[in-house]
Amino acid sequence: MNKNTLLALGIVAAISFGSAGSALAAEAGPQPPRQKWTFSGPFGHYDKQQLQRGFKVYREVCQACHSLKLVAFRTLGQPGALGFSEGQIKALAAEYQINDGPNDSGEMFQRAGRPSDYFPPIFANEQAARATHNGALPVDLSVIAKARTYEVGFPGFLIDIVRQYQENGVDYLHALLTGYEEKAPAGETLTPNQFWNKYFPGHKISMRPPLEDKRVEYTDGSPQTVDQYARDVTAFLMWAAEPHLEARKRIGFQVMIFLIVFAGLAYFTKKKIWASAH
Amino acid sequence: MSGSSNFKPKSAILQWTERRLPILGLMHSSFVAYPTPRNLNYWWTFGGILSFCLGVQIITGIVLAMHYTPTVAGAFDSVEHIMRDVNYGWLIRYVHANGASMFFIAVYIHIFRGLYYGSYKEPREILWILGVIIFLLMMATAFMGYVLPWGQMSFWGATVITNLFSAIPGIGPKVVEFLWGGYSVDQPTLQRFFSLHYLLPFMIAGVVVLHIWALHEVGQNNPAGIDVKSDKDTVPFTPYATAKDNFAMICFMIFFAWFVFYIPNYLGHADNYIPANPLQTPTHIVPEWYFLPFYAILRAIPSKLGGVIAMFGSIALLAFLPWLDRAKTRSAKYRPLFKQFFWVFVLCCIGLGWLGAKPAEGGYVIASRILTAYYFIHFLVILPLLSYYEKPSPLPASIADSVLGKQPAKA
């Protein structure tokens, strides 16, 4: 039994029990096409321009219904984030009204946001959100990029380990945002508040198609298309869900180099020690 | 079978201490002088790797507990707080979450190693049973740990698994209420799971001490499955086994790091990033991958009570293994038939794992039933029969002979 067999068996043992994540199947429908993302792979990093564009799309489109309550304004300027300056973040935070209090007279009050605040909720509570959306609940988007996936069959889910494919969530989101069809296929009926989406589990989605060409103005010359908007806002949501991704991959590479050198040294040490035993 | 304990520290202070508490001598005889069979292969390095896993889980777990809030309103957000605001919190949490999977990968390899080389046989029965107890404690710990982030799969996994106890005739519903601390999985459940999740790893550590104690009393089994007969058959633990364990452990860390740094959410469920919602059942409730074979057995039996009995039975059965397989030859190397059945059994377990992740419908159910039946037949029928009918091949005269290349003695 050499080391290769050992490692191979380790991998097989780990995975052959079936990827747990992949078991959460979208009931039917085509697989979301895999997109190219700057943050995939071992040297992945966010494209600051893209995150800023995506943030703009979020603010001008998604934010009408979807909150981002786990994200603090200050984090927009962290290393590996959108690259906003302190001043920009202060100005941005001040555009939001934050519920605070109680004050000395026992009253709750509204005040301008500060960098340490989190994106405020859009609706006072779930009931209010549902009431304005015909019963549907617009979900919070803070970790949405990690909270969605699609099923990858055998042997793809094994290959994904080696390829470091971890973009199931963002590929799904991009597909969802671009996957609306004009009308439902024959034999399917939609209520007035439902829309047909190729990639949504069950296909009948209550979110109206949120994007259309030229809806958000880009100043950096990027195409103002649904596809580009979907791509950018999805990248932004990936950052929102995983703000330390760049640090993780950078440290990971350092750890790998260290461990591989260490393993080499350990191997030759072991070999020398055992040489006298045979 | 402890090593020579003529250990004498050089410094006078340590000699003084040693006369009063011979702890250095104990360490020396256990981890330095302790004789290990010289033919051990890399499958024997997983004991050390498992100790490493336990250590990693305890250390990262203690740090996580400093930042985690065990309340239904705060648990999910506190985990996200760890991921976002705690210094290197993302690293600590991903190590802990993936560490659980790594722990199970290592323990499954360790268990199958024991099955292949007959490590459960006389005189290692108690050693083996202690191992089964550790495995059970690990499962309980992992299950409760998965509930703590209070995501959708945490909540519904906890609901499904605790509900199993309602199948106990008569007192079942009362038992479930007792486990929950109420009438559904709620705040008291989360809080007690947190408490127990913190406690159980230390109980595991305690049983691990017993496991190692028993191991050092009877000595390690080895790939030839024959007893140590002379000093020529062994090498001292340090430097030989230490150097080998060290190398294997670093290789394991590379595998571990791959998941932690590059695909940290691969082994988890996307649904667990959705906060728990008691009013909305996920489409498929699936346990973590390491429980899937047992989950398949549970669902294979048409009756709830039967399923629960079969699932717990499939683990409990392991404890009786030393008395089910009565063959004198330990190692599968010298048991041509057993060896084949071993690999069929491995495939059976992998198949059950795969089926555990599939919805319980149609052909999957039939396949689960066949494999579940085979799982039990392997232990209850095949192994006892093999003990009588199998003709083992000739064993080498000694461990030294088996490594140094002499022909097996004529039987």
Side-chain angles (χ1 to χ4, degrees):
Chain A
M1 313 280 175
N2 59 32
K3 288 120 259 165
N4 292 337
T5 346
L6 202 73
L7 202 68
L9 256 132
I11 296 171
V12 171
I15 309 316
S16 14
F17 291 104
S19 155
S22 69
L24 306 169
E27 271 125 49
Q31 284 216 343
R34 292 190 174 185
Q35 308 293 336
K36 277 198 163 59
W37 302 100
T38 60
F39 47 81
S40 65
F43 305 108
H45 59 89
Y46 291 119
D47 172 353
K48 287 193 173 24
Q49 289 302 313
Q50 184 178 39
L51 295 192
Q52 292 190 9
R53 289 196 304 270
F55 181 48
K56 194 160 193 269
V57 176
Y58 168 73
R59 294 234 296 159
E60 293 178 20
V61 183
C62 321
Q63 194 179 242
C65 309
H66 293 280
S67 58
L68 206 56
K69 62 178 183 170
L70 297 171
V71 179
F73 296 118
R74 64 186 154 76
T75 58
L76 295 164
Q78 277 175 349
L82 278 68
F84 285 165
S85 70
E86 215 170 306
Q88 282 174 306
I89 291 172
K90 267 194 182 142
L92 176 87
E95 289 177 28
Y96 290 83
Q97 285 295 306
I98 306 291
N99 207 19
D100 204 348
N103 61 15
D104 290 345
S105 50
E107 308 288 337
M108 299 302 283
F109 60 93
Q110 295 271 312
R111 60 161 174 80
R114 294 189 285 254
S116 58
D117 287 319
Y118 290 76
F119 279 85
I122 314 286
F123 300 98
N125 48 55
E126 186 184 326
Q127 285 74 5
R130 285 190 190 277
T132 41
H133 291 90
N134 307 303
L137 177 69
V139 292
D140 182 81
L141 297 183
S142 311
V143 284
I144 197 78
K146 293 196 283 189
R148 293 292 182 272
T149 192
Y150 61 91
E151 180 163 348
V152 181
F154 177 84
F157 74 92
L158 292 175
I159 298 166
D160 284 349
I161 295 176
V162 183
R163 290 187 52 228
Q164 301 186 352
Y165 179 72
Q166 182 88 101
E167 283 74 44
N168 317 54
V170 280
D171 282 345
Y172 170 78
L173 291 182
H174 176 268
L176 182 88
L177 290 171
T178 55
Y180 284 90
E181 312 256 295
E182 286 291 317
K183 49 179 182 244
E188 298 279 358
T189 46
L190 296 171
T191 67
N193 301 313
Q194 284 182 330
F195 306 88
W196 190 264
N197 191 299
K198 258 201 300 194
Y199 299 102
F200 186 70
H203 300 297
K204 291 174 186 173
I205 189 168
S206 303
M207 176 169 76
R208 65 176 61 254
L211 302 170
E212 57 197 72
D213 290 351
K214 299 212 168 47
R215 176 157 179 188
V216 179
E217 194 190 342
Y218 279 167
T219 49
D220 65 352
S222 300
Q224 303 183 86
T225 58
V226 168
D227 179 75
Q228 189 64 36
Y229 293 150
R231 215 171 277 279
D232 294 345
V233 78
T234 302
F236 168 72
L237 292 174
M238 185 71 226
W239 169 80
E242 194 76 8
H244 297 297
L245 176 141
E246 286 193 7
R248 164 156 67 76
K249 296 201 170 182
R250 191 184 62 242
I251 294 171
F253 187 66
Q254 294 162 349
V255 168
M256 281 293 176
I257 297 290
F258 173 82
L259 285 177
I260 289 167
V261 172
F262 194 16
L265 295 174
Y267 175 72
F268 289 111
T269 310
K270 182 256 161 193
K271 214 173 154 175
K272 181 146 195 297
I273 287 168
W274 280 83
S276 54
H278 290 300
Chain B
M1 184 96 182
S2 25
S4 50
S5 56
N6 48 10
F7 176 73
K8 202 166 182 216
K10 288 198 183 75
S11 102
I13 297 173
L14 290 181
Q15 282 178 21
W16 183 90
T17 320
E18 194 63 9
R19 276 197 301 276
R20 284 151 184 86
L21 179 73
I23 192 164
L24 292 172
L26 178 71
M27 303 293 273
H28 186 267
S29 65
S30 305
F31 301 110
V32 180
Y34 175 65
T36 63
R38 66 191 306 155
N39 59 342
L40 296 187
N41 55 34
Y42 274 101
W43 299 113
W44 260 266
T45 60
F46 281 89
I49 288 169
L50 284 162
S51 315
F52 164 76
C53 288
L54 180 61
V56 167
Q57 291 306 86
I58 289 180
I59 291 165
T60 52
I62 287 172
V63 179
L64 288 173
M66 294 173 186
H67 301 280
Y68 169 78
T69 315
T71 64
V72 295
F76 189 90
D77 288 359
S78 75
V79 170
E80 279 303 313
H81 160 69
I82 291 168
M83 291 297 288
R84 289 158 194 272
D85 298 332
V86 174
N87 291 331
Y88 295 100
W90 56 269
L91 176 59
I92 298 163
R93 171 165 175 259
Y94 278 154
V95 167
H96 195 75
N98 285 283
S101 284
M102 296 300 137
F103 208 157
F104 275 94
I105 289 170
V107 89
Y108 283 131
I109 294 175
H110 194 65
I111 292 171
F112 279 111
R113 194 286 320 272
L115 291 175
Y116 186 83
Y117 292 109
S119 299
Y120 46 87
K121 293 185 184 184
E122 198 276 329
R124 296 184 182 82
E125 297 94 331
I126 293 203
L127 172 60
W128 173 260
I129 291 169
L130 288 167
V132 176
I133 292 170
I134 294 172
F135 180 48
L136 281 169
L137 288 171
M138 276 177 65
M139 294 176 96
T141 311
F143 162 65
M144 288 192 263
Y146 196 63
V147 175
L148 302 184
W150 211 242
Q152 272 291 66
M153 215 46 92
S154 298
F155 179 87
W156 290 98
T159 303
V160 169
I161 301 299
T162 48
N163 256 316
L164 295 180
F165 293 90
S166 69
I168 304 171
I171 56 165
K174 283 278 164 230
V175 171
V176 178
E177 276 174 26
F178 174 75
L179 291 174
W180 285 341
Y183 301 103
S184 66
V185 174
D186 208 334
Q187 179 61 43
T189 328
L190 174 61
Q191 212 161 337
R192 66 188 52 190
F193 275 21
F194 178 53
S195 171
L196 293 172
H197 183 70
Y198 205 111
L199 167 71
L200 288 187
F202 296 98
M203 293 179 63
I204 294 178
V207 186
V208 166
V209 169
L210 297 181
H211 190 65
I212 296 174
W213 185 10
L215 174 75
H216 285 212
E217 190 57 32
V218 296
Q220 280 161 295
N221 184 27
N222 59 81
I226 53 181
D227 291 327
V228 169
K229 288 176 185 128
S230 71
D231 287 350
K232 267 197 293 183
D233 288 348
T234 63
V235 286
F237 191 88
T238 301
Y240 292 95
T242 344
K244 201 166 179 171
D245 278 353
N246 183 47
F247 173 61
M249 207 178 291
I250 298 165
C251 290
F252 188 79
M253 285 181 206
I254 294 174
F255 178 73
F256 193 157
W258 185 273
F259 281 84
V260 168
F261 291 105
Y262 296 129
I263 44 173
N265 294 306
Y266 181 87
L267 294 164
H269 299 275
D271 269 24
N272 228 25
Y273 279 108
I274 304 171
N277 181 356
L279 300 176
Q280 189 186 26
T281 318
T283 337
H284 297 295
I285 302 174
V286 185
E288 288 287 80
W289 68 267
Y290 37 81
F291 291 138
L292 290 175
F294 304 105
Y295 194 54
I297 291 176
L298 169 76
R299 297 190 305 178
I301 313 288
S303 102
K304 187 173 178 184
L305 180 61
V308 173
I309 291 171
M311 182 177 73
F312 285 109
S314 67
I315 304 165
L317 204 52
L318 289 171
F320 298 95
L321 187 55
W323 297 278
L324 291 168
D325 174 10
R326 305 303 301 267
K328 289 275 172 287
T329 312
R330 293 194 189 104
S331 173
K333 250 174 141 174
Y334 306 104
R335 297 184 61 189
L337 283 176
F338 171 80
K339 193 193 224 166
Q340 290 172 28
F341 282 111
F342 169 83
W343 288 111
V344 174
F345 179 69
V346 170
L347 291 179
C348 167
C349 292
I350 292 174
L352 280 170
W354 182 70
L355 290 166
K358 294 288 165 193
E361 58 197 26
Y364 296 133
V365 176
I366 299 166
S368 303
R369 287 185 185 154
I370 294 170
L371 290 188
T372 300
Y374 186 82
Y375 183 99
F376 286 97
I377 289 170
H378 177 81
F379 286 112
L380 296 173
V381 179
I382 295 175
L383 290 185
L385 286 182
L386 279 182
S387 319
Y388 292 99
Y389 292 107
E390 185 182 39
K391 192 174 172 298
S393 34
L395 293 172
S398 73
I399 290 174
D401 284 359
S402 78
V403 244
L404 302 177
K406 285 199 193 136
Q407 293 305 308
K410 298 269 181 315

